[in-house]
Amino acid sequence: MQETRQNRISRLLQKELSLIFQSQTRAMHGVMVSVTRVKVSPDLSICTAYLSIFPSEKGEELLQNIRQNASTVRYDLGQRVRNQLRVIPELRFFIDDSLDYIEKIDELLKQ
C-alpha cells in the first residue's frame, strides 16, 4: 500500500515540477530543464528530483540557481498540489547525466 501511494505522489510531483520549470525557463531562450525522475521518501517528507538540463554546459550553473531558489519552487509546488497533499516535501535536486553517459558510450563504440 505504501509503495503505491509513494508512486502516485512521485508521479504527481514530477508532473507539477516539470510544469513549474517549463514556465520558469520560457524566458531563458535555448535552455530546457526536464524532470526525469522523482523519488519520495517513505514518510513523504523528502522529494528527490533528477533534472536533465539542456545544454549540459550550463547544467551546474543552472542547478546551483535552482538549489538557491528551492524555497520558491517549493512554494509554487505547494500552490499547485495543496488539495492533494497536506505537507509539501522538502525538495532536493540532482543532475541526471544518463543521456550524456549514453552519448559517451555511443562515441566509444563508434571508434
Side-chain angles (χ1 to χ4, degrees):
M1 177 65 186
Q2 184 67 18
E3 285 186 18
T4 305
R5 184 162 188 235
Q6 275 180 288
N7 290 337
R8 281 190 3 231
I9 290 175
S10 65
R11 283 193 308 264
L12 171 70
L13 294 177
Q14 181 177 4
K15 177 184 163 197
E16 295 300 333
L17 282 173
S18 64
L19 291 173
I20 290 170
F21 287 131
Q22 182 181 18
S23 66
Q24 288 182 351
T25 57
R26 272 202 185 118
M28 301 169 58
H29 298 290
V31 176
M32 187 172 72
V33 177
S34 309
V35 182
T36 57
R37 188 174 61 201
V38 172
K39 290 184 181 178
V40 181
S41 64
D43 63 350
L44 307 177
S45 65
I46 298 173
C47 170
T48 305
Y50 294 91
L51 307 176
S52 177
I53 299 173
F54 179 81
S56 58
E57 296 83 36
K58 296 182 179 181
E60 283 299 323
E61 176 187 341
L62 214 55
L63 183 65
Q64 290 301 322
N65 189 10
I66 290 170
R67 284 180 177 164
Q68 289 173 356
N69 297 317
S71 60
T72 306
V73 175
R74 185 178 180 195
Y75 176 78
D76 291 343
L77 183 64
Q79 293 298 313
R80 291 173 172 263
V81 298
R82 66 176 175 236
N83 295 329
Q84 288 96 352
L85 296 176
R86 184 179 303 163
V87 177
I88 307 305
E90 173 190 341
L91 299 175
R92 296 183 181 168
F93 298 104
F94 297 98
I95 289 185
D96 183 16
D97 56 354
S98 59
L99 293 177
D100 294 335
Y101 181 74
I102 291 170
E103 286 180 20
K104 184 177 178 183
I105 295 295
D106 284 342
E107 287 178 16
L108 290 174
L109 288 174
K110 287 179 183 177
Q111 291 178 354

